[in-house]
Amino acid sequence: SNAPAWGIHSWHDVSDLIIVNNTVFDNGLGGIIIGNGDNYGTAGPLIHNNSTINNNIIFNNPQGIREYGSNCTKIGPNNVYQNNLVSGNSTNFQLCGGKTPTGTVTVSAADLASLFVNYKPDGTGDYHLKLNSPAINRGTTTCAAGVSNCAPAFDYDGISRPQGSAHDIGAYEYVGSGSTPAFDFTLSNGGAKSVTQGTSVTNTVTATLNSGTSQSVTFSASGLPSGVTASFSAGSCTPT
């Protein structure tokens, strides 16, 4: 979000892309541009073709998804645009050669609040899917001709797809009742330390967020040998 131009911008000698399961919003010029131009000689593909643009959430951009390149002469006929969710863009699709997107989910601006847990235009919100979001189970695994495995097996949190009857649209897969993946974190430290009797030693403990919404974690120590004590400079932290 909030890119000065396009959220996802393809250009120069590019072709055969897979742009799938992104959440793209509030950018200066548009959401996704599928382009080809300013080519570097003749070594690269001079026609952008066979790209898969599926399962993306594109909203609140001046342009949604656009093909562009020398008045469409550098855009091939086999790019596919399937099961994208669009809302609040001035134009949703500008495609070359009479292409028609399929499986598009259109959400009104009034219903945008039903999409995410907590949408904020500056990118600081929670863009996991809300219960009954129109993006749930609306994705596809079909690719452009000659392309396979274009649908990711995991979402941005590492949650396996699909969780329901079909892949969800957007960066996050809905995981059931509630709204976000379970809070999970890992602990790491500075490695093993040795200490002689009657002295002390320090170590650094780091809590790293794996998934879900971060919560406070309280530190404690147990199982210490007789006569040994442990303390923490901060008794709790919030994993990041």
Side-chain angles (χ1 to χ4, degrees), residues 34-77:
I34 300 302
N36 190 303
D38 301 319
N39 303 98
Y40 292 103
T42 60
L46 301 181
I47 301 295
H48 189 152
N49 206 16
N50 305 315
S51 285
T52 303
I53 301 88
N54 291 353
N55 301 352
N56 300 290
I57 297 177
I58 312 291
F59 67 99
N60 287 359
N61 302 282
Q63 303 172 75
I65 299 176
R66 183 180 182 183
E67 291 186 326
Y68 181 80
S70 297
N71 295 320
C72 287
T73 60
K74 293 187 176 183
I75 301 298

Side-chain angles (χ1 to χ4, degrees), residues 9 15 25 77 90 114 127 149 151 160 174 184 217:
H9 192 154
S15 187
F25 58 93
S90 298
S114 68
Y127 307 99
N149 299 321
S160 62
Y174 182 71
D184 184 39
V217 173

Side-chain angles (χ1 to χ4, degrees), residues 1-9 24-33 58-66 68 88-92 94:
S1 68
N2 291 284
W6 293 86
I8 298 175
H9 192 154
V24 186
F25 58 93
D26 290 282
N27 296 290
L29 290 181
I32 299 174
I33 186 167
I58 312 291
F59 67 99
N60 287 359
N61 302 282
Q63 303 172 75
I65 299 176
R66 183 180 182 183
Y68 181 80
N89 306 295
S90 298
T91 57
N92 289 323
Q94 296 170 272

